[in-house]
């Protein structure tokens, strides 16, 4: 009995263990389920957040597409066509009018400092654009703010080499006192290839960043692109885009393109095919590397060699020896601001004289070949003059009683030393002088003939006049002609420039070329500014193959710092590396300010420069590049026509109208609207980005659309 009770007590005690084990297992399972539930909840939220962020990221691209579409519609719509934006900022808009924040602390530093405040305070403010699904349910929203940087420098290209011919964007000088090493062009291109943003530049190359204006006054961005080699024939038909004619080849290649170039010149102010053909020949002479004129010595030309300028004849009687001396003096001028290297030149005189004394004629030859005395190494901003003398003595039988006279007839030529090609020639000249009988004794009399323009000196009968001698100076006849030329709109200076560079470096160099083979147009070179007809050369011609170019300055820029960069350190006179005469920093700043104001005034009329040609015709650059007594920096800025032409030509190659560049601040949100509350909802995820977009303001000839290129798209850290 006792044994049974013990067994029963033992069984009853074991029943509690099972319950405890079950409870423990249930507790463990509950803990595991809770942990799993929490983990799943977190994973679900993480997955949802990731899904929302993916949606928000895709909405950034949607915002970019909307921004690009709105840019395109703003510049080209039924109301009109604009080559350049007339705004600094453009923001997203919607009828709901819900304000959107698209900027972050980092994104604002992608915008150049000179326009940052204007962009950030732009009105109207950005507004959310709702994004709906196929059922009309809002699934997100996006917004954007566009900054127009079309008129600023390309910080990846500006600077880094000497300002000379204006054929490369690297010649732009963004700041005074900054060496090319400081600009670190090699660092930009060899190590980092390019800076992707101003934000990156400011941290990797603060010297360059500050040279381009820094945080407060930055006037550069990091990208630009323009398609060269085409022009828009008419604003009324923006789709009428035509190819420019290439004139960047050698002299021989220019000749091969006569069939294209001459008709184009007739659209640029020339009225006669013969004048256009002469100008093309002058273009060939201008670029070829010899000094042999294609038109010959009996025509004006654009070649650099000493020119016959003045012919004085002297008659002197020596009573003691009863002889008469005859001297023919010859003056040669070299009115070129650039040199012919190591060339040497010689003259060849082939003349006869007839000396008459008391009715008796004495005749003979006056022949001489000699070095002119100029070796081609000198270059100057004033004409050089060289003189020589041919002498002869004629013995007389007795003292003259009725006076003595002499007439010299002949031809005078200029050639390269040892060469066979005649470069300059005066044919059938006739000079004379006479001595009166009382008092005769030992005295000398001089008569002199001078040429108004040595480019036309072969025509002795019409271009030479008897004037008092003016050795080593611009002839009085030429001085008078220059004064008349100024009133007629011709050049007001005696100087010329010949490139001898093998090819044209920019279209503006056509302004250095003699315009016509007509002595009514002495000292008249082709004008590349101020007249709509002649400035059309910038529409018709190009020296670059049809290609994309970077770094060129938009002619619609209203930034004075950008325009100053075009002219800072530009050479006055010969556009070469060694020219020490340069536009100073203070002068460049003044010129830049004047140009920025002129461009802004033109834009305020509702227009924009559709091409460099329109800019050159309308902006009045020739009136800005003048001395201004009221401005200390410009008080001594005295330029001749040639110097103005050379500065304008070396600047024209740095300009374009075909460039639109934008920095676009973007925001995309995954957004859920509340069903019962209008214009209210919850943001599930937000993403911010900055994009750089380039747009071709000209229409593509094939598609009839404007090409747009997304240069960069940077998603910003949250």
């Amino acid at each position: 009995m006792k044994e049974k009770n013990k067994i029963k007590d033992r069984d009853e005690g074991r029943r509690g263990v099972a319950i405890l084990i079950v409870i423990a297992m249930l507790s463990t399972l509950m803990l595991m389920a809770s942990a799993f539930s929490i983990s799943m909840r977190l994973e679900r939220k993480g997955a949802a957040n990731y899904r929302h962020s993916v949606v928000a990221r895709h909405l950034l691209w949607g915002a970019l597409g909307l921004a690009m579409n709105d840019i395109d519609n703003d510049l080209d719509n039924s109301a009109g066509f604009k080559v350049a934006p007339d705004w600094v900022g453009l923001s997203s808009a919607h009828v709901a009018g819900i304000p959107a924040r698209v900027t972050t602390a980092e994104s604002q530093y992608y915008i150049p400092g000179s326009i940052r405040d204007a962009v950030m305070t732009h009105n109207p403010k950005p507004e959310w654009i709702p994004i709906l699904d196929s059922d009309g349910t809002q699934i997100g929203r996006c917004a954007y703010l566009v900054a127009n940087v079309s008129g600023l420098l390309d910080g990846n290209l500006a600077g880094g080499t000497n300002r000379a011919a204006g054929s490369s964007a690297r010649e732009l000088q963004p700041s005074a006192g900054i060496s090319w090493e400081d600009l670190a062009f090699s660092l930009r291109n060899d190590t980092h290839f390019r800076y992707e943003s101003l934000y990156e530049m400011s941290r990797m190359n603060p010297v360059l960043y500050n040279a381009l204006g820094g945080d407060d006054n930055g006037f550069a961005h990091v990208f630009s692109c323009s398609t060269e080699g085409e022009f828009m024939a008419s604003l009324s038909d923006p789709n009428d885009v035509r190819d420019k004619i290439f004139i960047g080849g050698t002299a021989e290649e220019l000749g091969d393109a006569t069939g294209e170039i001459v008709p184009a010149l007739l659209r640029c102010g020339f009225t006669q095919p013969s004048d256009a053909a002469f100008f093309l020949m002058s273009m060939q002479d201008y670029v070829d590397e010899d000094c042999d004129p294609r038109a010959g010595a009996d025509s004006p030309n654009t070649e650099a060699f000493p020119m016959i300028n003045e012919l004085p004849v002297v008659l002197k009687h020596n009573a003691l020896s009863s002889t008469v001396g005859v001297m023919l003096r010859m003056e040669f001028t070299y009115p070129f601001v650039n040199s012919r290297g190591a060339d040497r030149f010689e003259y060849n005189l082939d003349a006869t004289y007839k000396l008459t004394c008391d009715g008796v004629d004495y005749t003979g030859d006056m022949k001489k070949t000699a070095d002119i005395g100029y070796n081609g190494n000198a270059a100057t901003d004033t004409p050089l003059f060289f003189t020589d003398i041919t002498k002869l003595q004629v013995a007389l039988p007795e003292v003259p009683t009725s006076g003595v006279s002499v007439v010299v007839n002949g031809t005078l030529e200029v050639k390269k030393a040892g060469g066979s090609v005649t470069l300059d020639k005066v044919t059938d000249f006739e000079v004379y002088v006479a001595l009166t009988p009382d008092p005769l004794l030992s005295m000398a009399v001089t008569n002199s003939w001078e040429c108004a323009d040595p480019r036309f000196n072969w025509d002795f009968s019409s271009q030479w006049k008897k004037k008092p001698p003016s050795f080593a100076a611009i002839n009085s006849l030429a001085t008078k002609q220059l004064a008349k030329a100024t009133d007629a709109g011709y050049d007001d200076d005696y100087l010329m420039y010949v490139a001898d560079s093998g090819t044209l470096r920019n279209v503006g160099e056509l302004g250095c070329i003699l315009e016509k083979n007509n002595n009514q147009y002495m000292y008249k070179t082709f004008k590349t500014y101020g007249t709509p007809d002649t400035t059309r050369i910038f529409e018709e011609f190009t020296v670059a193959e049809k290609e994309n170019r970077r770094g060129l300055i938009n002619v619609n820029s209203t930034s004075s710092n950008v325009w100053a960069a075009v002219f800072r350190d530009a050479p006055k006179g010969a556009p070469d590396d060694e020219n020490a005469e340069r536009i100073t920093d203070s002068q460049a700043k003044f010129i830049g300010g004047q140009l920025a104001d002129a461009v802004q005034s033109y834009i305020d009329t509702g227009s924009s420069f559709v091409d460099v040609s329109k800019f050159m015709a309308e902006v009045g650059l020739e009136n800005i590049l003048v001395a201004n007594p009221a401005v200390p920096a410009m008080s001594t800025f005295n330029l001749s026509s040639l110097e103005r032409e050379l500065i304008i030509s070396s600047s024209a190659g740095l300009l374009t109208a075909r460039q639109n560049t934008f920095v676009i601040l973007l925001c995309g949100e995954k957004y859920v609207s509340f069903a019962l509350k209008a214009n209210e909802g919850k943001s599930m995820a937000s993403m911010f980005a900055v994009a750089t977009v380039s747009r071709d303001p000209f229409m593509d000839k094939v598609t009839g659309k404007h090409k747009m290129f997304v240069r960069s798209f940077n998603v910003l850290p949250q």
Side-chain angles (χ1 to χ4, degrees):
M1 188 68 180
K2 291 182 178 179
E3 188 65 27
K4 288 182 177 180
N5 289 336
K6 290 181 179 180
I7 293 173
K8 184 178 180 180
D9 292 339
R10 190 182 304 122
D11 290 340
E12 290 177 353
R14 289 175 178 173
R15 293 174 185 170
V17 173
I19 293 174
L20 290 176
I21 292 173
V22 170
I23 293 173
M25 291 178 66
L26 289 174
S27 298
T28 301
L29 289 173
M30 290 178 63
L31 289 173
M32 292 175 64
S34 297
F36 183 75
S37 175
I38 294 171
S39 176
M40 289 300 98
R41 190 181 303 115
L42 292 175
E43 290 294 331
R44 185 172 64 253
K45 287 184 176 180
N49 289 338
Y50 178 74
R51 178 167 59 87
H52 296 329
S53 67
V54 169
V55 172
R57 183 184 291 266
H58 283 286
L59 288 174
L60 290 176
W61 286 102
L64 178 59
L66 291 171
M68 294 167 62
N69 184 68
D70 285 353
I71 291 171
D72 212 35
N73 288 337
D74 179 85
L75 297 178
D76 191 359
N77 53 52
S78 59
F81 170 83
K82 291 184 287 187
V83 174
D86 55 4
W87 41 263
V88 69
L90 182 70
S91 57
S92 56
H94 190 260
V95 292
I98 302 175
R101 182 178 71 88
V102 299
T103 60
T104 66
E106 182 179 341
S107 66
Q108 62 180 320
Y109 290 104
Y110 283 75
I111 299 177
S114 60
I115 64 171
R116 186 181 300 138
D117 288 344
V119 172
M120 294 302 177
T121 59
H122 171 71
N123 281 309
K125 300 292 186 183
E127 296 173 348
W128 289 116
I129 300 173
I131 307 299
L132 309 179
D133 64 11
S134 58
D135 296 328
T137 303
Q138 183 173 355
I139 59 173
R141 58 186 184 178
C142 61
Y144 62 81
L145 177 61
V146 181
N148 173 25
V149 297
S150 304
L152 303 185
L153 288 181
D154 187 334
N156 273 313
L157 289 179
T161 190
N162 193 4
R163 181 72 164 84
S167 57
S168 168
R170 291 181 60 187
E171 296 181 40
L172 294 166
Q173 301 298 324
S175 180
I178 303 295
S179 69
W180 303 322
E181 292 78 11
D182 288 336
L183 289 173
F185 187 82
S186 60
L187 178 66
R188 281 180 275 169
N189 289 270
D190 296 337
T191 304
H192 304 298
F193 297 97
R194 56 183 172 264
Y195 297 115
E196 296 295 337
S197 67
L198 292 176
Y199 187 74
E200 181 181 83
M201 182 193 295
S202 66
R203 282 150 180 76
M204 298 181 68
N205 193 342
V207 174
L208 173 63
Y209 181 71
N210 290 324
L212 295 170
D215 284 337
D216 298 329
N217 197 34
F219 51 90
H221 190 52
V222 294
F223 182 73
S224 64
C225 183
S226 59
T227 301
E228 300 302 306
E230 296 177 334
F231 73 99
M232 189 183 301
S234 172
L235 273 176
S236 61
D237 184 9
N239 198 37
D240 188 5
V241 177
R242 305 177 187 178
D243 290 339
K244 295 184 178 182
I245 297 170
F246 179 70
I247 57 172
T250 64
E252 290 71 22
E253 290 169 334
L254 289 173
D256 293 339
T258 299
E260 290 183 292
I261 295 175
V262 169
L265 287 173
L266 292 173
R267 296 190 292 268
C268 297
F270 289 93
T271 58
Q272 300 298 323
S274 58
D275 290 335
F278 169 76
F279 189 76
L280 172 57
M281 188 182 300
S282 297
M283 289 168 59
Q284 294 175 280
D285 282 339
Y286 177 83
V287 300
D288 65 22
E289 298 180 58
D290 60 40
C291 58
D292 301 341
R294 282 171 167 73
D298 293 339
S299 173
N301 58 78
T302 307
E303 287 284 16
F305 47 75
M307 299 177 178
I308 304 162
N309 187 57
E310 190 172 356
L311 289 173
V313 60
V314 183
L315 187 61
K316 183 176 182 180
H317 175 248
N318 188 327
L320 297 177
S321 62
S322 190
T323 60
V324 173
V326 179
M327 293 187 296
L328 180 66
R329 301 191 68 176
M330 295 158 284
E331 181 181 77
F332 305 88
T333 181
Y334 188 83
F336 299 93
V337 301
N338 55 322
S339 69
R340 275 289 313 160
D343 287 345
R344 296 191 69 85
F345 300 93
E346 64 184 23
Y347 70 85
N348 179 42
L349 173 66
D350 185 4
T352 61
Y353 70 88
K354 183 177 77 171
L355 187 145
T356 301
C357 177
D358 293 339
V360 180
D361 291 338
Y362 302 84
T363 61
D365 294 331
M366 298 182 73
K367 298 180 181 290
K368 186 176 182 181
T369 298
D371 192 295
I372 289 178
Y374 172 67
N375 64 6
N377 286 323
T380 180
D381 57 358
T382 57
L384 296 174
F385 299 93
F386 315 91
T387 60
D388 202 2
I389 302 174
T390 297
K391 300 179 181 180
L392 59 89
Q393 295 286 333
V394 179
L396 302 177
E398 57 187 22
V399 175
T401 60
S402 60
V404 180
S405 63
V406 67
V407 178
V408 180
N409 300 88
T411 298
L412 181 60
E413 297 179 335
V414 173
K415 299 180 180 181
K416 285 184 66 173
S420 60
V421 178
T422 299
L423 307 178
D424 194 35
K425 178 172 64 174
V426 179
T427 305
D428 297 331
F429 70 81
E430 179 178 287
V431 293
Y432 55 85
V433 67
L435 283 170
T436 58
D438 185 28
L440 196 61
L441 301 178
S442 296
M443 59 180 298
V445 176
T446 302
N447 281 346
S448 182
W449 279 256
E450 60 183 39
C451 183
D453 185 342
R455 301 167 185 81
F456 296 85
N457 60 12
W458 76 90
D459 187 357
F460 190 81
S461 61
S462 65
Q463 291 299 303
W464 291 75
K465 303 296 180 184
K466 185 172 175 288
K467 294 287 182 179
S470 57
F471 296 127
I474 298 177
N475 293 338
S476 59
L477 188 62
T479 302
K480 183 178 180 181
Q481 181 66 37
L482 286 171
K484 292 170 57 180
T486 303
D487 295 336
Y490 301 168
D491 290 357
D492 61 5
D493 63 272
Y494 189 71
L495 298 172
M496 289 189 71
Y497 175 77
V498 178
D500 290 336
S501 54
T503 61
L504 287 171
R505 291 162 293 186
N506 58 69
V507 175
E509 286 188 277
L510 298 184
C512 300
I513 297 175
L514 195 65
E515 185 171 319
K516 294 184 179 182
N517 181 9
N518 189 318
N519 59 23
Q520 294 180 355
Y521 296 90
M522 291 183 288
Y523 300 105
K524 183 171 177 57
T525 51
F526 191 80
K527 283 290 176 288
T528 58
Y529 52 85
T531 58
D533 286 341
T534 60
T535 58
R536 188 170 176 173
I537 60 167
F538 294 105
E539 288 185 4
E540 295 283 352
F541 300 111
T542 179
V543 297
E545 299 287 358
K546 185 178 177 182
E547 61 182 1
N548 291 328
R549 290 190 64 189
R550 289 190 53 196
L552 300 182
I553 301 302
N554 194 321
V555 291
N556 292 290
S557 174
T558 57
S559 169
S560 60
N561 285 319
V562 169
W563 285 116
V566 175
F567 293 92
R568 182 179 289 109
D569 207 39
K572 299 177 183 177
D576 57 49
D577 295 347
E578 299 179 358
N579 188 343
E581 291 293 319
R582 301 278 170 156
I583 294 179
T584 66
D585 176 59
S586 55
Q587 291 169 345
K589 288 179 177 178
F590 176 81
I591 295 169
Q594 294 291 299
L595 270 177
D597 291 343
V599 173
Q600 185 63 64
S601 296
Y602 188 78
I603 292 175
D604 289 343
T605 66
S607 302
S608 55
F609 296 117
V610 70
D611 203 293
V612 177
S613 59
K614 191 70 172 177
F615 172 84
M616 288 296 184
E618 299 288 345
V619 79
L621 187 57
E622 69 278 9
N623 299 319
I624 296 174
L625 297 174
V626 296
N628 188 337
V631 180
M634 302 296 289
S635 60
T636 59
F637 198 77
N638 298 305
L639 299 179
S640 64
S641 287
L642 176 70
E643 288 170 328
R644 278 193 297 273
E645 288 166 354
L646 290 173
I647 292 173
I648 291 173
S649 70
S650 71
S651 302
L654 301 171
L655 306 179
T656 185
R658 196 171 176 176
Q659 177 179 285
N660 294 157
T661 307
F662 307 96
V663 178
I664 307 177
L665 307 185
L666 304 161
C667 181
E669 278 193 357
K670 167 62 177 175
Y671 184 81
V672 177
S673 59
F674 297 151
L676 301 179
K677 295 184 179 180
N679 298 329
E680 291 189 26
K682 182 178 181 180
S683 175
M684 309 303 293
S686 299
M687 299 290 287
F688 296 87
V690 180
T692 301
V693 174
S694 176
R695 175 185 182 271
D696 189 346
F698 287 14
M699 287 184 178
D700 183 79
K701 291 187 293 185
V702 177
T703 65
K705 303 293 184 180
H706 299 272
K707 290 183 177 179
M708 301 186 79
F709 171 61
V710 180
R711 173 62 187 82
S712 64
F713 186 89
N714 301 317
V715 178
L716 302 179
Q718 301 304 300

